Amino acid sequence: MDLEIITRKPQGKARSTPILFVHGMSFAAWGFEEYFAPYFNAQGFETHSVSLRYHGGSGDNSKVRWVPISAYVKDIKQAIDQIGQPPILIGHSMGGLLSQIVARDQEVAALVTLASVPPAGFLPTILRLAMKHPLLMLKCNLTANLRPFLKNPDVTPDMFFAGGMPKAEKMRFYDMLCDESFRSFIDMLFPRSGIGKHGKPVLVMGAQGDPAVSANMVRATAKKHGVKAVIYPDAGHCVMLDKNREKYAAHVLKWLRENGF
């Protein structure tokens, strides 16, 4: 695939290990390029923000509907090959699950997950959403299309961009969301085996009131890796865009320094 990978080279001496940011459902590289990539780049990291196939600048979004999770995993591995060394993987939501799969399969320097879909799958989230928005979820399943849910101005902004974000900013980010693969949505309902055995440093972060990935789901992910989850009470699902994003980025940076990066 001809993937969009936005690279930032630090001014002056670079840290020895680069960062690869992996976005979640309906996002693209822009989700990390807004704040996190510039922040870590200013701290001396070479950063790379990938847009998975048919997201952002990585091809025609109208082709995304039947892309399997395995294809997205290949995209991340391709990005790592282009970087040329094992990076620190920082993945959000679906990108967090993809990053865990990649870390299971090949060498990475470290892994950071932000409000990640857990290895056990996110069926509990779907059941909650089906109870809260039954007609929307029924329409998505009958049409095999996530767009009725992901591009609903009355539902999507509050689901993705909670955490005290101003309404104007919520809607700006909402307008940037794209369609997502229904096949990948189905793939993520089911458990993934073998995750948590790569032996590299892992940081698992989430939000107490996240309507997409609950705190208990974040804790389940952390348990798989043998670490304690970091749960922020004031964050929304998209911690890298949240009003307190600098606090969360600083937490990741402190953890990276503690682990020798």
Side-chain angles (χ1 to χ4, degrees), residues 121-157:
F122 74 152
L123 183 58
T125 295
I126 302 309
L127 295 177
R128 287 199 307 272
L129 293 176
M131 292 180 66
K132 190 173 182 179
H133 306 288
L135 294 180
L136 273 181
M137 293 306 293
L138 179 63
K139 185 174 182 180
C140 289
N141 284 293
L142 289 177
T143 61
N145 189 343
L146 297 178
R147 194 170 183 85
F149 191 90
L150 293 173
K151 292 298 289 183
N152 186 311
D154 297 322
V155 174
T156 315

Side-chain angles (χ1 to χ4, degrees), residues 9-16 40-46:
K9 301 280 188 179
Q11 295 183 353
K13 185 178 180 180
R15 295 174 184 262
S16 59
F40 285 96
N41 184 245
Q43 300 298 325
F45 287 96
E46 179 179 299

Side-chain angles (χ1 to χ4, degrees), residues 4 49-50 53 84 87 96 124 129 148 154 164 176 178 180 191 199 205 228 233:
E4 176 185 43
S49 301
V50 63
R53 64 184 65 193
L129 293 176
D154 297 322
M176 296 168 74
C178 63
E180 187 50 80
M205 298 175 64
K228 186 177 180 179

